[in-house]
């Protein structure tokens, strides 16, 4: 075996699975979450900024609601909170139902196809309870070997649970997994799980990621395996 092949084999044995966040990584549903949460805030008589919205990325629906209510200084009981969270989800789903495969983020299908061809497993690691519906709408469900989402977890990012379950579902060790994340909490979850954290978005925001890409057009299997 040539030295080049030896190097390739070493790296091929290293990353065996890629775990993808959904919202803001595969598709830009982050904007729809923002719109629906803002509608909720506006109906309750206040507003919040896109900058504040960064803090909502990656965390669960009910934790997001608690943060937003805190920003508006609004106190609700558990029953009221559930009612508002349901309303927000209904508004969000109205937007999701209009989604098409055109909304898949640039470079994602090509990269996932290349991963498959290289024998690298693909799993979803999302906090969303709507992930399967969204993947169906954008016709991406078939790419995934495993789906771990808000229906399978009881600890939110930055806890690594969602990604550790993804590693388990793909029969890989955490150090054999690379995580793609657009959220600060998601990058922290990947690092807490002992995985390679690849930020998707701005390096100014995702400061704890091992590497940051602006879009998947900058990523390839070769680059991944060389990281
Ligand atoms: C995460 C999003 O992926 O899922 C969060 O980044 C969202 O913004 C969370 O709150 C839960 O999503 P859903 O669809 O179950 O309300
Ligand atoms: Mg996200």
């Amino acid at each position: 075996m040539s030295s080049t092949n030896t190097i390739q084999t070493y790296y091929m044995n290293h990353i065996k699975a890629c775990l993808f966040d959904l919202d803001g990584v595969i598709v830009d549903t982050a904007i729809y979450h923002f719109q629906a949460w803002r509608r909720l805030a506006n109906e309750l008589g206040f507003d919040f900024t896109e900058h504040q919205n960064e803090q909502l990325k990656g965390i669960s629906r009910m934790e997001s609601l608690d943060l937003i209510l805190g920003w508006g200084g609004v106190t609700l009981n558990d029953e009221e909170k559930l009612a508002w969270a349901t309303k927000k989800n209904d508004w969000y789903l109205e937007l999701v139902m209009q989604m098409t495969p055109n909304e898949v983020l640039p470079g994602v299908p090509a990269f996932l196809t290349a991963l498959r061809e290289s024998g690298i497993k693909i799993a979803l690691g999302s906090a969303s309870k709507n992930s399967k519906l969204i993947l169906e709408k954008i016709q991406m469900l078939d790419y995934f070997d495993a789906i771990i989402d808000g229906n399978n977890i009881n600890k939110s990012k930055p806890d690594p649970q969602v990604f550790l379950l993804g590693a388990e579902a793909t029969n890989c060790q955490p150090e054999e997994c690379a995580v793609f994340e657009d959220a600060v909490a998601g990058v922290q979850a990947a690092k807490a799980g002992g995985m390679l954290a690849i930020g998707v978005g701005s390096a100014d925001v995702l400061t704890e990621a091992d590497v940051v890409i602006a879009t998947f057009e900058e990523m390839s299997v070769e680059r991944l395996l060389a990281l």
Side-chain angles (χ1 to χ4, degrees):
M1 193 185 278
S2 75
S3 62
T4 311
N5 280 343
T6 312
I7 290 166
Q8 277 173 354
T9 306
Y10 169 77
Y11 284 125
M12 287 302 285
N13 287 338
H14 190 57
I15 294 295
K16 292 184 178 160
C18 284
L19 314 180
F20 292 86
D21 175 47
L22 173 68
D23 295 313
V25 169
I26 300 290
V27 68
D28 196 10
T29 35
I31 188 77
Y32 300 140
H33 277 297
F34 182 44
Q35 284 173 21
W37 281 128
R38 256 190 109 186
R39 184 167 169 187
L40 175 144
N42 292 171
E43 292 211 2
L44 287 168
F46 66 98
D47 203 0
F48 65 94
T49 65
E50 210 165 338
H51 182 69
Q52 285 171 299
N53 186 59
E54 280 301 317
Q55 293 178 52
L56 305 180
K57 291 185 180 175
I59 67 168
S60 73
R61 196 180 305 168
M62 296 313 284
E63 284 170 320
S64 301
L65 178 63
D66 281 338
L67 265 183
I68 294 166
L69 293 176
W71 295 333
V74 174
T75 310
L76 300 177
N77 65 32
D78 286 351
E79 202 183 322
E80 290 166 332
K81 278 190 197 173
L82 203 59
W84 279 104
T86 305
K87 260 191 192 188
K88 180 268 172 178
N89 196 52
D90 290 345
W91 295 328
Y92 175 64
L93 289 180
E94 278 172 21
L95 299 167
V96 165
M97 293 316 281
Q98 293 166 30
M99 289 176 73
T100 69
N102 288 338
E103 286 175 69
V104 176
L105 289 170
V108 171
F111 181 57
L112 266 60
T113 301
L115 287 175
R116 267 193 154 179
E117 286 168 4
S118 307
I120 296 172
K121 296 263 188 252
I122 301 171
L124 191 82
S126 166
S128 175
K129 293 186 172 173
N130 296 306
S131 70
K132 280 196 183 144
L133 173 69
I134 293 168
L135 289 175
E136 268 169 24
K137 289 296 293 176
I138 58 173
Q139 294 174 16
M140 293 290 290
L141 197 54
D142 289 348
Y143 283 91
F144 291 86
D145 297 298
I147 293 191
I148 311 294
D149 70 8
N151 300 297
N152 309 106
I153 56 171
N154 53 22
K155 291 180 202 152
S156 286
K157 300 169 187 176
D159 189 282
Q161 185 189 36
V162 71
F163 295 131
L164 292 175
L165 289 173
E168 206 177 293
T170 51
N171 292 316
C172 292
Q173 296 302 313
E175 61 273 20
E176 294 170 330
C177 296
V179 170
F180 290 86
E181 257 295 348
D182 72 315
V184 173
V187 167
Q188 290 168 342
K191 297 310 294 174
M195 300 172 185
L196 182 70
I198 302 172
V200 184
S202 157
D204 293 338
V205 176
L206 304 170
T207 52
E208 292 169 60
D210 294 301
V211 60
V212 178
I213 54 171
T215 81
F216 279 92
E217 286 168 329
E218 290 169 30
M219 190 37 75
S220 64
V221 173
E222 291 70 28
R223 183 170 177 203
L224 172 74
L225 298 181
L227 284 173

